[in-house]
PDB file of all heavy atoms in Angstrom:
ATOM      1  N   ILE A  63     192.752  17.370 166.662  1.00 98.00           N
ATOM      2  CA  ILE A  63     193.028  17.642 165.261  1.00 98.00           C
ATOM      3  C   ILE A  63     192.582  19.062 164.948  1.00 98.00           C
ATOM      4  O   ILE A  63     193.342  19.871 164.334  1.00 98.00           O
ATOM      5  CB  ILE A  63     192.281  16.753 164.358  1.00 98.00           C
ATOM      6  CG1 ILE A  63     192.819  15.251 164.499  1.00 98.00           C
ATOM      7  CG2 ILE A  63     192.378  17.156 162.838  1.00 98.00           C
ATOM      8  CD1 ILE A  63     192.104  14.259 163.782  1.00 98.00           C
ATOM      9  N   ILE A  79     209.025  18.028 165.961  1.00 98.00           N
ATOM     10  CA  ILE A  79     207.609  18.108 165.984  1.00 98.00           C
ATOM     11  C   ILE A  79     207.095  17.549 167.396  1.00 98.00           C
ATOM     12  O   ILE A  79     207.179  16.426 167.692  1.00 98.00           O
ATOM     13  CB  ILE A  79     207.004  17.228 164.838  1.00 98.00           C
ATOM     14  CG1 ILE A  79     207.476  17.702 163.530  1.00 98.00           C
ATOM     15  CG2 ILE A  79     205.470  17.221 164.964  1.00 98.00           C
ATOM     16  CD1 ILE A  79     207.116  16.886 162.287  1.00 98.00           C
ATOM     17  N   GLY A 124     227.587  -6.220 160.027  1.00 98.00           N
ATOM     18  CA  GLY A 124     228.639  -6.425 158.960  1.00 98.00           C
ATOM     19  C   GLY A 124     228.659  -7.778 158.310  1.00 98.00           C
ATOM     20  O   GLY A 124     229.573  -8.263 157.802  1.00 98.00           O
ATOM     21  N   LYS A 135     199.749 -17.450 153.524  1.00 98.00           N
ATOM     22  CA  LYS A 135     198.463 -16.741 153.853  1.00 98.00           C
ATOM     23  C   LYS A 135     198.649 -15.344 154.503  1.00 98.00           C
ATOM     24  O   LYS A 135     197.693 -14.738 154.915  1.00 98.00           O
ATOM     25  CB  LYS A 135     197.473 -17.619 154.648  1.00 98.00           C
ATOM     26  CG  LYS A 135     196.877 -18.748 153.923  1.00 98.00           C
ATOM     27  CD  LYS A 135     195.641 -19.189 154.747  1.00 98.00           C
ATOM     28  CE  LYS A 135     194.828 -20.175 154.089  1.00 98.00           C
ATOM     29  NZ  LYS A 135     195.263 -21.526 154.250  1.00 98.00           N
ATOM     30  N   SER A 136     199.818 -14.897 154.650  1.00 98.00           N
ATOM     31  CA  SER A 136     200.127 -13.596 155.302  1.00 98.00           C
ATOM     32  C   SER A 136     199.695 -12.492 154.410  1.00 98.00           C
ATOM     33  O   SER A 136     199.525 -12.644 153.190  1.00 98.00           O
ATOM     34  CB  SER A 136     201.610 -13.534 155.721  1.00 98.00           C
ATOM     35  OG  SER A 136     202.396 -13.465 154.549  1.00 98.00           O
ATOM     36  N   THR A 141     202.977  -2.437 148.485  1.00 98.00           N
ATOM     37  CA  THR A 141     204.099  -1.976 147.843  1.00 98.00           C
ATOM     38  C   THR A 141     204.897  -3.132 147.231  1.00 98.00           C
ATOM     39  O   THR A 141     204.624  -4.277 147.629  1.00 98.00           O
ATOM     40  CB  THR A 141     205.044  -1.195 148.749  1.00 98.00           C
ATOM     41  OG1 THR A 141     205.415  -2.131 149.805  1.00 98.00           O
ATOM     42  CG2 THR A 141     204.372   0.019 149.355  1.00 98.00           C
ATOM     43  N   ALA A 143     207.921  -4.399 147.790  1.00 98.00           N
ATOM     44  CA  ALA A 143     208.485  -5.319 148.798  1.00 98.00           C
ATOM     45  C   ALA A 143     207.411  -5.980 149.660  1.00 98.00           C
ATOM     46  O   ALA A 143     207.476  -7.208 149.947  1.00 98.00           O
ATOM     47  CB  ALA A 143     209.475  -4.512 149.707  1.00 98.00           C
ATOM     48  N   ASP A 181     222.288 -19.168 155.696  1.00 97.00           N
ATOM     49  CA  ASP A 181     223.244 -18.127 156.241  1.00 97.00           C
ATOM     50  C   ASP A 181     222.964 -16.781 155.662  1.00 97.00           C
ATOM     51  O   ASP A 181     223.698 -15.834 155.978  1.00 97.00           O
ATOM     52  CB  ASP A 181     224.626 -18.631 156.083  1.00 97.00           C
ATOM     53  CG  ASP A 181     225.042 -18.975 154.627  1.00 97.00           C
ATOM     54  OD1 ASP A 181     224.118 -18.655 153.806  1.00 97.00           O
ATOM     55  OD2 ASP A 181     226.033 -19.445 154.409  1.00 97.00           O
ATOM     56  N   VAL A 191     197.915 -12.592 164.426  1.00 98.00           N
ATOM     57  CA  VAL A 191     196.648 -13.104 163.879  1.00 98.00           C
ATOM     58  C   VAL A 191     196.609 -12.773 162.381  1.00 98.00           C
ATOM     59  O   VAL A 191     196.806 -11.607 162.090  1.00 98.00           O
ATOM     60  CB  VAL A 191     195.422 -12.465 164.569  1.00 98.00           C
ATOM     61  CG1 VAL A 191     194.074 -13.040 163.992  1.00 98.00           C
ATOM     62  CG2 VAL A 191     195.400 -12.581 166.083  1.00 98.00           C
ATOM     63  N   GLY A 193     195.134 -11.555 159.581  1.00 97.00           N
ATOM     64  CA  GLY A 193     193.803 -10.782 159.488  1.00 97.00           C
ATOM     65  C   GLY A 193     193.228 -11.093 158.040  1.00 97.00           C
ATOM     66  O   GLY A 193     192.256 -11.739 157.892  1.00 97.00           O
ATOM     67  N   GLY A 196     192.319 -14.615 156.720  1.00 98.00           N
ATOM     68  CA  GLY A 196     191.261 -15.486 157.160  1.00 98.00           C
ATOM     69  C   GLY A 196     191.054 -15.515 158.668  1.00 98.00           C
ATOM     70  O   GLY A 196     190.409 -16.478 159.201  1.00 98.00           O
ATOM     71  N   PRO A 199     194.688 -17.147 164.266  1.00 98.00           N
ATOM     72  CA  PRO A 199     195.726 -16.761 165.329  1.00 98.00           C
ATOM     73  C   PRO A 199     196.882 -17.673 165.399  1.00 98.00           C
ATOM     74  O   PRO A 199     196.727 -18.904 165.037  1.00 98.00           O
ATOM     75  CB  PRO A 199     194.890 -16.875 166.653  1.00 98.00           C
ATOM     76  CG  PRO A 199     193.386 -17.050 166.254  1.00 98.00           C
ATOM     77  CD  PRO A 199     193.419 -17.508 164.838  1.00 98.00           C
ATOM     78  N   ILE A 220     210.240  -9.781 163.472  1.00 99.00           N
ATOM     79  CA  ILE A 220     209.396  -8.609 163.238  1.00 99.00           C
ATOM     80  C   ILE A 220     207.962  -9.020 163.325  1.00 99.00           C
ATOM     81  O   ILE A 220     207.532 -10.019 162.633  1.00 99.00           O
ATOM     82  CB  ILE A 220     209.626  -8.041 161.769  1.00 99.00           C
ATOM     83  CG1 ILE A 220     211.154  -7.824 161.447  1.00 99.00           C
ATOM     84  CG2 ILE A 220     208.789  -6.846 161.490  1.00 99.00           C
ATOM     85  CD1 ILE A 220     211.461  -7.590 160.022  1.00 99.00           C
ATOM     86  N   ILE A 246     211.169  -5.921 166.319  1.00 99.00           N
ATOM     87  CA  ILE A 246     210.542  -4.800 165.605  1.00 99.00           C
ATOM     88  C   ILE A 246     209.087  -5.130 165.649  1.00 99.00           C
ATOM     89  O   ILE A 246     208.659  -6.257 165.489  1.00 99.00           O
ATOM     90  CB  ILE A 246     211.100  -4.809 164.110  1.00 99.00           C
ATOM     91  CG1 ILE A 246     212.553  -4.460 163.971  1.00 99.00           C
ATOM     92  CG2 ILE A 246     210.297  -3.784 163.271  1.00 99.00           C
ATOM     93  CD1 ILE A 246     213.086  -4.484 162.639  1.00 99.00           C
ATOM     94  N   LEU A 253     196.218   3.537 164.766  1.00 98.00           N
ATOM     95  CA  LEU A 253     197.114   4.297 165.490  1.00 98.00           C
ATOM     96  C   LEU A 253     196.605   5.784 165.604  1.00 98.00           C
ATOM     97  O   LEU A 253     196.950   6.411 166.607  1.00 98.00           O
ATOM     98  CB  LEU A 253     198.513   4.273 164.840  1.00 98.00           C
ATOM     99  CG  LEU A 253     199.700   5.053 165.371  1.00 98.00           C
ATOM    100  CD1 LEU A 253     199.818   4.792 166.881  1.00 98.00           C
ATOM    101  CD2 LEU A 253     200.913   4.631 164.672  1.00 98.00           C
ATOM    102  N   SER A 255     193.080   6.690 164.713  1.00 98.00           N
ATOM    103  CA  SER A 255     191.648   6.714 164.497  1.00 98.00           C
ATOM    104  C   SER A 255     191.162   7.110 163.106  1.00 98.00           C
ATOM    105  O   SER A 255     189.991   7.572 162.979  1.00 98.00           O
ATOM    106  CB  SER A 255     190.999   7.763 165.522  1.00 98.00           C
ATOM    107  OG  SER A 255     191.402   7.405 166.801  1.00 98.00           O
ATOM    108  N   ALA A 261     203.911   3.368 161.751  1.00 99.00           N
ATOM    109  CA  ALA A 261     205.062   3.402 162.619  1.00 99.00           C
ATOM    110  C   ALA A 261     205.798   2.083 162.620  1.00 99.00           C
ATOM    111  O   ALA A 261     205.128   1.041 162.610  1.00 99.00           O
ATOM    112  CB  ALA A 261     204.711   3.727 164.068  1.00 99.00           C
ATOM    113  N   THR A 280     208.268  12.153 153.736  1.00 98.00           N
ATOM    114  CA  THR A 280     207.702  13.569 153.840  1.00 98.00           C
ATOM    115  C   THR A 280     206.711  13.827 154.842  1.00 98.00           C
ATOM    116  O   THR A 280     206.751  14.706 155.660  1.00 98.00           O
ATOM    117  CB  THR A 280     207.315  14.045 152.444  1.00 98.00           C
ATOM    118  OG1 THR A 280     208.389  14.018 151.520  1.00 98.00           O
ATOM    119  CG2 THR A 280     206.724  15.487 152.415  1.00 98.00           C
ATOM    120  N   ALA A 288     200.320  13.286 163.952  1.00 98.00           N
ATOM    121  CA  ALA A 288     200.874  13.037 165.320  1.00 98.00           C
ATOM    122  C   ALA A 288     199.887  13.493 166.416  1.00 98.00           C
ATOM    123  O   ALA A 288     199.716  12.863 167.438  1.00 98.00           O
ATOM    124  CB  ALA A 288     202.168  13.875 165.529  1.00 98.00           C
ATOM    125  N   ALA A 290     196.569  13.458 166.085  1.00 98.00           N
ATOM    126  CA  ALA A 290     195.547  12.485 166.157  1.00 98.00           C
ATOM    127  C   ALA A 290     196.054  11.241 166.777  1.00 98.00           C
ATOM    128  O   ALA A 290     195.284  10.545 167.579  1.00 98.00           O
ATOM    129  CB  ALA A 290     195.137  12.233 164.684  1.00 98.00           C
ATOM    130  N   THR A 294     194.694   9.570 170.296  1.00 99.00           N
ATOM    131  CA  THR A 294     194.164   8.107 170.219  1.00 99.00           C
ATOM    132  C   THR A 294     194.850   7.271 171.270  1.00 99.00           C
ATOM    133  O   THR A 294     194.169   6.518 171.980  1.00 99.00           O
ATOM    134  CB  THR A 294     194.395   7.555 168.849  1.00 99.00           C
ATOM    135  OG1 THR A 294     193.766   8.399 167.833  1.00 99.00           O
ATOM    136  CG2 THR A 294     193.958   6.132 168.662  1.00 99.00           C
ATOM    137  N   ARG A 302     191.745   2.222 179.230  1.00 98.00           N
ATOM    138  CA  ARG A 302     192.063   0.804 179.144  1.00 98.00           C
ATOM    139  C   ARG A 302     191.254  -0.023 178.121  1.00 98.00           C
ATOM    140  O   ARG A 302     190.619  -0.952 178.365  1.00 98.00           O
ATOM    141  CB  ARG A 302     191.943   0.076 180.529  1.00 98.00           C
ATOM    142  CG  ARG A 302     192.946   0.709 181.606  1.00 98.00           C
ATOM    143  CD  ARG A 302     192.717   0.167 182.964  1.00 98.00           C
ATOM    144  NE  ARG A 302     192.749  -1.294 182.965  1.00 98.00           N
ATOM    145  CZ  ARG A 302     193.895  -1.965 183.160  1.00 98.00           C
ATOM    146  NH1 ARG A 302     194.970  -1.342 183.313  1.00 98.00           N
ATOM    147  NH2 ARG A 302     193.877  -3.256 183.178  1.00 98.00           N
ATOM    148  N   ARG A 306     188.767  -3.538 177.532  1.00 98.00           N
ATOM    149  CA  ARG A 306     187.341  -3.635 177.014  1.00 98.00           C
ATOM    150  C   ARG A 306     187.252  -4.517 175.808  1.00 98.00           C
ATOM    151  O   ARG A 306     186.266  -5.236 175.603  1.00 98.00           O
ATOM    152  CB  ARG A 306     186.935  -2.196 176.704  1.00 98.00           C
ATOM    153  CG  ARG A 306     185.489  -2.077 176.499  1.00 98.00           C
ATOM    154  CD  ARG A 306     185.028  -0.718 176.134  1.00 98.00           C
ATOM    155  NE  ARG A 306     183.658  -0.999 175.519  1.00 98.00           N
ATOM    156  CZ  ARG A 306     182.573  -0.976 176.328  1.00 98.00           C
ATOM    157  NH1 ARG A 306     182.651  -0.808 177.498  1.00 98.00           N
ATOM    158  NH2 ARG A 306     181.420  -1.255 175.771  1.00 98.00           N
ATOM    159  N   TYR A 313     182.716 -11.809 174.957  1.00 98.00           N
ATOM    160  CA  TYR A 313     181.187 -11.787 174.899  1.00 98.00           C
ATOM    161  C   TYR A 313     180.807 -12.072 173.415  1.00 98.00           C
ATOM    162  O   TYR A 313     179.965 -12.988 173.191  1.00 98.00           O
ATOM    163  CB  TYR A 313     180.727 -10.457 175.402  1.00 98.00           C
ATOM    164  CG  TYR A 313     179.142 -10.363 175.362  1.00 98.00           C
ATOM    165  CD1 TYR A 313     178.465 -11.027 176.226  1.00 98.00           C
ATOM    166  CD2 TYR A 313     178.542  -9.693 174.236  1.00 98.00           C
ATOM    167  CE1 TYR A 313     177.065 -10.990 176.196  1.00 98.00           C
ATOM    168  CE2 TYR A 313     177.166  -9.570 174.155  1.00 98.00           C
ATOM    169  CZ  TYR A 313     176.386 -10.290 175.161  1.00 98.00           C
ATOM    170  OH  TYR A 313     175.049 -10.251 175.141  1.00 98.00           O
ATOM    171  N   VAL A 327     176.141 -23.946 157.410  1.00 97.00           N
ATOM    172  CA  VAL A 327     177.118 -23.209 156.513  1.00 97.00           C
ATOM    173  C   VAL A 327     178.343 -22.631 157.313  1.00 97.00           C
ATOM    174  O   VAL A 327     179.351 -22.235 156.765  1.00 97.00           O
ATOM    175  CB  VAL A 327     176.251 -21.877 155.988  1.00 97.00           C
ATOM    176  CG1 VAL A 327     175.881 -20.884 157.111  1.00 97.00           C
ATOM    177  CG2 VAL A 327     177.047 -21.194 154.893  1.00 97.00           C
ATOM    178  N   VAL A 360     180.034  -5.609 157.765  1.00 98.00           N
ATOM    179  CA  VAL A 360     181.188  -6.471 158.061  1.00 98.00           C
ATOM    180  C   VAL A 360     181.940  -6.612 156.803  1.00 98.00           C
ATOM    181  O   VAL A 360     181.555  -6.148 155.778  1.00 98.00           O
ATOM    182  CB  VAL A 360     180.695  -7.948 158.619  1.00 98.00           C
ATOM    183  CG1 VAL A 360     180.166  -7.804 160.113  1.00 98.00           C
ATOM    184  CG2 VAL A 360     179.649  -8.556 157.672  1.00 98.00           C
ATOM    185  N   ILE A 376     182.373  -0.962 171.487  1.00 98.00           N
ATOM    186  CA  ILE A 376     181.065  -1.599 171.213  1.00 98.00           C
ATOM    187  C   ILE A 376     180.393  -2.113 172.535  1.00 98.00           C
ATOM    188  O   ILE A 376     181.186  -2.624 173.387  1.00 98.00           O
ATOM    189  CB  ILE A 376     181.247  -2.623 170.068  1.00 98.00           C
ATOM    190  CG1 ILE A 376     179.873  -3.063 169.594  1.00 98.00           C
ATOM    191  CG2 ILE A 376     182.045  -3.875 170.660  1.00 98.00           C
ATOM    192  CD1 ILE A 376     179.830  -3.632 168.265  1.00 98.00           C
ATOM    193  N   GLU A 380     174.882  -3.776 171.242  1.00 98.00           N
ATOM    194  CA  GLU A 380     175.259  -3.633 169.935  1.00 98.00           C
ATOM    195  C   GLU A 380     175.650  -4.949 169.264  1.00 98.00           C
ATOM    196  O   GLU A 380     175.502  -5.397 168.177  1.00 98.00           O
ATOM    197  CB  GLU A 380     176.326  -2.523 169.548  1.00 98.00           C
ATOM    198  CG  GLU A 380     175.753  -1.143 169.818  1.00 98.00           C
ATOM    199  CD  GLU A 380     176.809  -0.092 169.869  1.00 98.00           C
ATOM    200  OE1 GLU A 380     177.933  -0.327 170.314  1.00 98.00           O
ATOM    201  OE2 GLU A 380     176.485   1.098 169.513  1.00 98.00           O
TER     202      GLU A 380
END
Side-chain angles (χ1 to χ4, degrees):
I63 293 173
I79 299 172
K135 287 202 172 82
S136 62
T141 60
D181 55 6
V191 182
I220 308 169
I246 295 178
L253 183 50
S255 302
T280 295
T294 301
R302 297 175 57 85
R306 195 183 161 87
Y313 181 76
V327 70
V360 286
I376 191 152
E380 287 168 334

